[in-house]
Amino acid sequence: MSIYILGTGAIGCHIASVLRNNKIPVSLLLRSQHHLNDFNSRQNSITYRSQGHINKIPGFEASVVGDTTDQTPIQSLIVATKGHHTLKALAPMASRLSAKSTILLLQNGMGVAEELMENLWPNSTPPAIFIGVNRHAVERMGPYDITHHSGYADPDALRIGRFPDAAADVQQSELVSRLIAIPELNAAQLSWKQVLVKMYKKLVVNACINAVASVLMYKNIGNIKNGNPSGIALMRSICQEAHDVFRDDLPGETVDSLMDMVLAINQEAGENVCSTLQDIRSKNLTEIDYLNGYICKKGQERGIDVRYNQAMVYIIHAKEALYE
């Protein structure tokens, strides 16, 4: 049975490519008939670049999200849209999902699953929702054309947890099982409590690296290139506030330990252009409200000063306001 993928940016195309390389049927859900025609003109293929190799991967099925004539039930759905697009993108598919379906959310930031539950299934049994913490660094070079920079050698690259019911942690869906069985994804399922800690850590990493790289308008390595003192100081200020906000959610972590993690990942994924900067360069709205904006939201709820994170949100939105 096909695995459906909603969102064909860097991460969606990466997961789709790996699945097809492992002979798993994949059906892409595209935004419009124009996008479908464009994909058909490319012989329904994705160009996947990694470790000096370029592979053109064919054999994908594809359809338009808003095609009301297609009511085929969807059992397995991976959602790789940007956080701020997820609710609007998924809403047309809701009728094709049931309590027997499985959804895996693969986005930066936090708060998306809660948004879906509140708006799509407020009074009914939702599909099984899993959330992935993804450390594969992938850059979109063009439509259906990606470069996989890092993650293939990271044993902790993809961790998946069942949201939000701790009692369901032991359950594993067919979708999750198939992903875990693919060695190059380095995937594993953890308890929701364990995954939540990893989500907070990933949030800190993205809030630091993405925000600063997007201000510099440079690939990730610019944040630390030649020991960039101001770039590192700015990331540390963002990290300090995040630690103040999530101190109780990150037991055993200090500002220093979180910064060590940020700097290590910044170095490892240095050649990648972060997703926020990719959006700015493409003149798309970013997911900053689910990154630094989420830290601001929780900080304000808890009475904690988050001025550096708020400044990052203002700067990125100011850049968006200048799009023509």
Side-chain angles (χ1 to χ4, degrees), residues 266-281:
N266 203 147
Q267 181 69 45
E268 179 186 351
E271 292 305 306
N272 190 40
V273 175
C274 72
S275 59
T276 308
L277 182 51
Q278 289 183 50
D279 281 335
I280 291 171
R281 287 178 173 176

Side-chain angles (χ1 to χ4, degrees), residues 170-182:
V170 295
Q171 299 177 9
Q172 190 177 93
S173 73
E174 179 184 352
L175 171 60
V176 175
S177 297
R178 294 173 91 175
L179 295 176
I180 290 172
I182 299 174

Side-chain angles (χ1 to χ4, degrees), residues 94 97-103 117 121 125-130 162-163:
L97 298 163
S98 70
K100 296 180 180 179
S101 302
T102 298
I103 299 174
M117 294 282 284
W121 302 284
T125 304
I129 297 178
F130 289 78
R162 173 77 181 267
F163 170 89

